[in-house]
Amino acid sequence: MFDSPDYPKSLPESLFESWFESGRSSRIPYSYLLIVWDEIEGKYLPVFVEKRSDIDSYEKYGESPATQTLVAAYDLYSEGRVC
């Protein structure tokens, strides 16, 4: 995943899939998986949110100097990209 010069580094497909499983199995009824780039750690982090409006609280990668920025957002159940 994210194997292009538009992203800071690639993300192993197996790790990406494990994040979907974690979000679906949570006791909290999450609906979305956000892929966040942490500039300080130099790695991607999974963030789970319940409402689509929660996605807007993250600044987008490449558009902000923030240390944690949103790279992509996915529906946990359809696995479709929403942002």
Side-chain angles (χ1 to χ4, degrees):
M1 301 274 323
F2 310 125
D3 292 329
S4 85
D6 296 332
Y7 301 103
K9 70 183 217 181
S10 64
L11 175 67
E13 191 76 28
S14 59
L15 181 58
F16 178 69
E17 290 298 324
S18 73
W19 290 344
F20 274 111
E21 292 173 25
S22 295
R24 289 182 195 131
S25 64
S26 174
R27 289 184 179 198
I28 299 172
Y30 293 122
S31 297
Y32 299 97
L33 163 63
L34 311 184
I35 308 297
V36 172
W37 174 251
D38 186 304
E39 191 65 40
I40 295 171
E41 297 290 325
K43 65 181 182 178
Y44 292 107
L45 303 172
V47 175
F48 301 100
V49 297
E50 296 176 55
K51 298 177 282 185
R52 191 171 181 139
S53 61
D54 294 335
I55 298 169
D56 297 332
S57 67
Y58 287 85
E59 297 184 49
K60 292 189 175 25
Y61 176 77
E63 297 177 9
S64 170
T67 58
Q68 289 191 344
T69 52
L70 177 68
V71 174
Y74 295 87
D75 182 287
L76 271 176
Y77 299 94
S78 73
E79 296 187 12
R81 189 170 176 161
V82 296
C83 176

